[in-house]
């Protein structure tokens, strides 16, 4: 019976439509996610929930979308099989097109017990810092992820994320710099932007869900420059692997030693005007 169910499930998701959002979770968390989605997510925004063991069966019918999904799929495979799992990418969601990964996580997944990393090929209402909009261009790497913290920590998170991303890129592109407060530049051209919002806070602001948003010009030259323009050996799965490992490390440092070690790292990458 179990084998039959797996085959039936596999055939159901063997061909994904261009509108389909996919949520790949740990096998043990599938029921919990389905219950959360049924309770908190509108039906028109509900993803298809797939356990990692059957992720390899999922393929988009549109070859163009499948090409953009493949790097995320490779990262997923490494994430779920790694001996050092990414604490902040325990479960991974992908949309060919969405309004904003940041907005979706804030509105529908902030009270979810599990951390989620949400990737999209295109965003129609991408969010930047403050009231700014993030322009979505083909070839960009755009994602948001959730973590737990308090309201005070949310102030430090854009700096921490900036350090993690700068340290990830540095071995491949030496002249990566951070422009205050949370933009990354190469040769004085912006290549990435970061935001962090706190939501679902308790009355004392001691427990919040933090939603981090990151947009990277990976292979798109518009509107400024891209990572691939400076190093063609860098791949999306490799970049994501290193970023989420750095994130594991620096969140641990923040918890154990406070912000001071991260402040020093930040200053090492600081781009003075």
């Amino acid at each position: 019976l179990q084998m039959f169910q797996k085959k039936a499930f596999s055939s159901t998701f063997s061909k994904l439509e261009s509108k389909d959002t996919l949520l790949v979770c740990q096998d043990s968390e599938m029921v919990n996610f389905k219950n959360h989605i049924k309770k908190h997510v509108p039906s028109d925004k509900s993803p298809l929930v797939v356990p990692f063991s059957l992720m390899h069966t999922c393929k988009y019918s549109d070859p163009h979308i499948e090409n953009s999904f493949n790097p995320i799929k490779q990262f997923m495979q490494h994430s779920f099989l790694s001996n050092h799992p990414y604490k902040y990418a325990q479960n991974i969601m992908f949309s060919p097109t969405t309004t904003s990964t940041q907005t979706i996580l804030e509105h529908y997944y902030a009270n979810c017990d599990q951390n989620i990393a949400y990737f999209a090929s295109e965003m129609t209402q991408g969010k930047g810092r403050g009231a700014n909009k993030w322009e979505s261009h083909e070839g960009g790497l755009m994602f948001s992820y959730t973590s737990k913290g308090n309201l005070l920590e949310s102030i430090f998170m854009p700096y921490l994320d900036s350090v993690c991303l700068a340290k990830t890129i540095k071995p491949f592109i030496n002249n990566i710099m951070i422009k205050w407060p949370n933009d990354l530049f190469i040769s004085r051209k912006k290549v990435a932007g970061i935001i962090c919002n706190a939501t679902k806070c308790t009355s004392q602001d001691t427990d919040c869900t933090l939603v981090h948003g990151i947009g990277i010009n990976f292979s798109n030259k518009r509107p400024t420059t891209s990572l691939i323009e400076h190093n063609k050996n860098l791949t999306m799965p490799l970049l994501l692997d290193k970023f989420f490992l750095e994130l594991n490390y620096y969140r641990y440092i923040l918890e154990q030693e406070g912000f001071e070690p991260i402040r020093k790292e930040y200053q090492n990458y600081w781009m003075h005007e």
Side-chain angles (χ1 to χ4, degrees):
L1 178 61
Q2 194 174 37
M3 182 66 71
F4 174 79
Q5 288 174 333
K6 279 204 166 190
K7 284 184 177 179
F9 188 92
S10 175
S11 62
T12 301
F13 297 117
S14 59
K15 286 290 184 182
L16 301 170
E17 300 301 321
S18 58
K19 62 180 176 55
D20 290 336
T21 293
L22 192 67
L23 194 159
V24 180
C25 64
Q26 303 164 68
D27 288 42
S28 60
E29 293 297 327
M30 185 171 173
V31 173
N32 290 337
F33 267 109
K34 283 194 169 185
N35 288 338
H36 174 89
I37 289 165
K38 185 177 181 180
K39 185 176 180 181
H40 297 285
V41 184
S43 58
D44 62 328
K45 293 181 172 61
S46 295
L48 302 172
V49 183
V50 178
F52 170 72
S53 59
L54 292 176
M55 184 196 71
H56 64 282
T57 67
C58 299
K59 187 174 182 178
Y60 282 92
S61 55
D62 185 330
H64 183 72
I65 294 174
E66 180 63 19
N67 284 339
S68 65
F69 176 51
N70 272 330
I72 310 305
K73 188 186 290 187
Q74 291 172 33
F75 170 63
M76 286 183 195
Q77 290 169 335
H78 195 279
S79 172
F80 283 88
L81 296 174
S82 173
N83 291 325
H84 304 286
Y86 315 108
K87 186 176 179 181
Y88 303 101
Q90 294 170 329
N91 309 282
I92 298 174
M93 196 153 62
F94 173 82
S95 290
T97 303
T98 191
T99 51
S100 162
T101 57
Q102 193 78 359
T103 301
I104 295 293
L105 289 184
E106 285 177 5
H107 286 183
Y108 307 120
Y109 296 91
N111 56 353
C112 188
D113 293 335
Q114 295 279 320
N115 293 324
I116 301 175
Y118 183 17
F119 299 84
S121 294
E122 179 186 15
M123 290 195 296
T124 58
Q125 300 171 35
K127 294 176 66 174
R129 189 163 59 92
N132 295 333
K133 293 183 179 180
W134 177 266
E135 294 184 26
S136 170
H137 295 286
E138 185 174 0
L141 176 56
M142 297 155 288
F143 64 97
S144 299
Y145 73 91
T146 59
S147 69
K148 304 301 179 185
N150 57 53
L151 192 60
L152 179 62
E153 286 177 334
S154 71
I155 298 170
F156 299 132
M157 285 307 152
Y159 301 98
L160 186 148
D161 285 335
S162 298
V163 167
C164 291
L165 189 55
K167 288 185 74 69
T168 295
I169 296 170
K170 180 77 171 178
F172 304 95
I173 304 169
N174 187 55
N175 59 336
I176 187 74
M177 303 291 287
I178 300 172
K179 182 180 178 182
W180 186 89
N182 49 6
D183 290 331
L184 274 69
F185 279 65
I186 299 172
S187 302
R188 296 196 169 270
K189 291 182 179 180
K190 184 175 177 178
V191 75
I194 293 167
I195 60 173
C196 180
N197 300 322
T199 186
K200 299 294 181 184
C201 296
T202 60
S203 57
Q204 301 299 316
D205 293 333
T206 53
D207 295 299
C208 301
T209 295
L210 309 180
V211 184
H212 313 242
I214 298 176
I216 304 168
N217 294 340
F218 188 80
S219 60
N220 54 303
K221 292 184 179 181
R222 294 173 46 222
T224 54
T225 187
S226 69
L227 298 182
I228 289 299
E229 193 175 357
H230 295 270
N231 190 328
K232 290 182 169 54
N233 294 321
L234 186 58
T235 66
M236 278 191 187
L238 179 60
L239 178 74
L240 291 170
D241 172 59
K242 291 187 175 298
F243 171 75
F244 279 99
L245 286 177
E246 292 286 358
L247 196 56
N248 279 359
Y249 174 73
Y250 279 100
R251 285 296 292 263
Y252 176 80
I253 292 296
L254 181 65
E255 292 165 7
Q256 297 298 314
E257 303 179 35
F259 185 65
E260 183 59 20
I262 297 162
R263 183 189 66 80
K264 290 179 180 178
E265 290 278 11
Y266 182 91
Q267 288 183 322
N268 290 336
Y269 291 98
W270 192 16
M271 184 178 82
H272 298 277
E273 295 295 342

